[in-house]
Amino acid sequence: MSRTLIRGGLVITAAEEIHADVLIDSEQVVALAATGSTVAEGWTADTVIDAMGKYVIPGGVDAHTHMELPFGGTAASDTFETGSRAAAWGGTTTIVDFAVQSVGESLRSGLDTWHAKAEGNCAVDYAFHMIMSDVTESSLKEMDLLVEEGVTSFKLFMAYPGVFYSDDGKILRAMQRGAANGGLIMMHAENGIAIDVLVEQALAAGRTDPRYHGEVRRELLEAEATHRAIKLAEVAGSPLYVVHVSAASALAELAQSRDRGLNVFGETCPQYLFLSTDNLAEPDFEGAKYVCSTPLRPKEHQAELWKGLRTNDLQVVSTDHCPFCFSGQKELGRGDFSKIPNGLPGVENRMDLLHQAVVDGHISRRRWIEIACATPARMFGLYPRKGTIAPGADADIVIYDPNATQVISTETHHMNVDYSAYEGKQVTGKSETVLSRGTVIIEQDRYLGRAGHGQYQTRETCQYLI
Ligand code: DUC
Ligand code: ZN
Ligand code: ZN
């Protein structure tokens, strides 16, 4: 059993910031003590990491990724191997990906397929949510079994009719089941039936460019669906987690329901905080790089999302990492925006972009750790194993250099995708050393990890309810 000691850094968790040494035995943190204290001075270890002048933070928890997701006749370009390795480079040591139940399939069969994709391939630890595309008597019963075995959250779609879509009755049934078995319902809240009408009308009128993807997926239709999802959850007596919130008016629905004391939670993503419809409108089909759903919104929404993150009306920032190469994948939608596969890369960039938000004064350092590590871990039943640095927690730790500068670029990123959504953006801060369960997997710009180091994580039910 080897011992590792991280000396002299500023340990930042959601709760506090302290100059402390961190002692790791094998895969777990065993103790913290103030730097220079007699306790810390007495510690010995096989490996000592000097973190003087650096932050010592919990590894990031990205609760929304789609490695290898089949979508629109193609598949997300990151495999579990390439995507989880890119996550490690970016200081994220746990991903929660989405297993998919296709229509006509059991939850079990969908989950087995995703286990087979991930097992033995991940650089960092991973867990699964379950996408329910077919709410039936038997899949409702299966929810109970999945919750018992540690798949404790279920994503439903009010969008994508004919693929993932569930109607209100199906949604209500799944919520009722979740209320009874502890499963958390995650909602893609956009009125897909109405959006499909607008898509058809836009294409018929010759409006085929990527920017129309943003125009037909109207803000009102995100707000309406968010409102409806909240009411259905209230009727069912279940908590609700709304994924990838991009519209200020949808956020207002969440805020109102939270003011009423409901267990309603919201997630946003870096693309909604840093990008806008200006990107979708880039000429020469470049806008296709920014096609995702919910869509990017006009710049004015960003300030509202930042405010929501500060006031805890939004609790989590995940990536919705779902990369498609520009060449050969995004290009499927030349001449028809509705054929552009939906999704953006970002699993490698999230921790740095959010640190930039600290530098820019949008959020505090502790809030950075809270929204990127601690709360996603608590929301999805991984805390305190993940999301914090404390005795007994897994030693998923990042030595973060807050003064390093880097330019985000496809030239240097490790995601398996031929463009960066943040190309040329300079950010301050960089993961220097990354430990996953006590093993150094990134050190000074070298990858030391391996496919298969990452282990599947079973999860408790939501630990964030009020
Ligand atoms: N949104 C995306 O952008 N991609 C995949 C699925 C989704 O809901
Ligand atoms: Zn979605
Ligand atoms: Zn998603």
Side-chain angles (χ1 to χ4, degrees):
M1 288 289 162
S2 83
R3 278 160 56 110
T4 304
L5 182 52
I6 303 172
R7 283 244 190 248
L10 179 67
V11 176
I12 307 172
T13 64
E16 58 189 357
E17 304 184 355
I18 43 165
H19 287 281
D21 294 0
V22 181
L23 185 62
I24 297 163
D25 197 349
S26 183
E27 298 199 339
Q28 292 188 333
V29 174
V30 288
L32 284 86
T35 300
S37 64
T38 40
V39 173
E41 290 296 307
W43 286 341
T44 57
D46 309 284
T47 308
V48 178
I49 299 172
D50 176 11
M52 201 70 79
K54 311 283 161 59
Y55 297 161
V56 178
I57 61 172
V61 178
D62 191 340
H64 192 151
T65 68
H66 296 286
M67 308 305 172
E68 308 180 31
L69 177 75
F71 191 99
T74 184
S77 58
D78 260 321
T79 61
F80 278 90
E81 180 170 354
T82 61
S84 66
R85 192 168 58 214
W89 276 103
T92 285
T93 52
T94 306
I95 59 169
V96 191
D97 203 273
F98 288 82
V100 179
Q101 174 210 24
S102 302
V103 176
E105 187 187 31
S106 65
L107 298 186
R108 169 68 53 207
S109 158
L111 183 58
D112 285 350
T113 302
W114 256 258
H115 271 299
K117 290 176 197 254
E119 201 181 342
N121 291 322
C122 290
V124 298
D125 288 351
Y126 64 99
F128 291 122
H129 312 286
M130 188 82 226
I131 286 178
M132 287 183 84
S133 310
D134 203 0
V135 178
T136 62
E137 266 317 304
S138 79
S139 63
L140 287 166
K141 284 201 188 95
E142 280 191 288
M143 283 176 79
D144 300 357
L145 301 173
L146 261 60
V147 169
E148 267 171 38
E149 70 177 57
V151 177
T152 55
S153 40
F154 301 86
K155 184 179 179 192
L156 295 167
F157 286 77
M158 302 167 100
Y160 303 123
V163 188
F164 299 123
Y165 173 83
S166 292
D167 65 27
D168 291 356
K170 290 182 177 184
I171 289 169
L172 182 64
R173 282 184 202 280
M175 286 173 165
Q176 288 170 332
R177 200 77 183 200
N181 66 24
L184 178 61
I185 301 299
M186 308 169 76
M187 190 60 73
H188 181 128
E190 284 187 292
N191 186 328
I193 302 279
I195 286 169
D196 274 8
V197 172
L198 299 181
V199 169
E200 199 185 298
Q201 291 170 347
L203 293 175
R207 293 193 282 269
T208 60
D209 286 348
R211 71 187 169 97
Y212 295 109
H213 169 85
E215 292 193 11
V216 298
R217 302 188 88 91
R218 301 269 301 268
E219 175 186 357
L220 280 171
L221 297 176
E222 183 185 345
E224 181 277 326
T226 304
H227 179 87
R228 187 156 36 98
I230 292 167
K231 294 300 169 196
L232 291 169
E234 195 172 355
V235 169
S238 78
L240 173 69
Y241 177 96
V242 181
V243 294
H244 48 55
V245 175
S246 68
S249 51
L251 169 56
E253 296 286 348
L254 298 178
Q256 263 180 35
S257 68
R258 289 180 56 77
D259 289 347
R260 290 173 46 233
L262 298 178
N263 271 308
V264 170
F265 311 112
E267 158 200 281
T268 192
C269 311
Q271 52 269 35
Y272 307 121
L273 296 163
F274 291 94
L275 304 173
S276 73
T277 44
D278 293 352
N279 299 97
L280 265 178
E282 285 177 16
D284 301 328
F285 197 63
E286 290 281 307
K289 295 177 175 174
Y290 308 95
V291 165
C292 58
S293 297
T294 58
L296 302 184
R297 301 294 180 192
K299 264 203 176 72
E300 301 75 67
H301 291 249
Q302 293 172 358
E304 290 302 308
L305 296 177
W306 286 120
K307 188 167 78 179
L309 284 169
R310 284 192 296 276
T311 59
N312 206 39
D313 285 323
L314 294 169
Q315 295 77 28
V316 172
V317 176
S318 305
T319 57
D320 200 2
H321 176 77
C322 191
F324 297 99
C325 289
F326 184 73
S327 172
Q329 293 195 294
K330 290 290 189 180
E331 282 179 334
L332 293 169
R334 267 194 203 275
D336 179 351
F337 67 83
S338 72
K339 295 203 164 60
I340 301 169
N342 288 196
L344 258 62
V347 73
E348 188 171 350
N349 308 127
R350 182 185 65 129
M351 295 298 286
D352 292 330
L353 288 168
L354 291 177
H355 180 260
Q356 185 60 40
V358 174
V359 173
D360 293 344
H362 290 299
I363 50 172
S364 70
R365 284 192 296 219
R366 276 177 287 144
R367 188 64 179 157
W368 169 45
I369 301 307
E370 192 162 31
I371 63 182
C373 311
T375 301
R378 288 176 66 198
M379 191 70 72
F380 297 108
L382 289 161
Y383 197 85
R385 194 169 9 126
K386 306 296 186 190
T388 193
I389 299 176
D394 282 354
D396 291 358
I397 296 177
V398 177
I399 320 299
Y400 196 84
D401 182 348
N403 299 311
T405 55
Q406 50 172 326
V407 176
I408 299 178
S409 173
T410 183
E411 300 296 324
T412 47
H413 77 200
H414 302 85
M415 298 176 287
N416 184 39
V417 59
D418 63 359
Y419 75 96
S420 170
Y422 307 97
E423 186 66 40
K425 184 173 175 60
Q426 180 165 323
V427 289
T428 302
K430 189 172 191 285
S431 297
E432 187 179 89
T433 304
V434 179
L435 289 85
S436 165
R437 277 181 288 101
T439 299
V440 174
I441 58 171
I442 300 286
E443 188 177 45
Q444 307 280 8
D445 286 327
R446 278 183 311 148
Y447 175 67
L448 305 178
R450 65 176 175 85
H453 166 82
Q455 289 181 359
Y456 174 66
Q457 306 288 307
T458 59
R459 299 184 286 114
E460 306 293 317
T461 54
C462 178
Q463 300 160 315
Y464 200 80
L465 303 183
I466 45 178

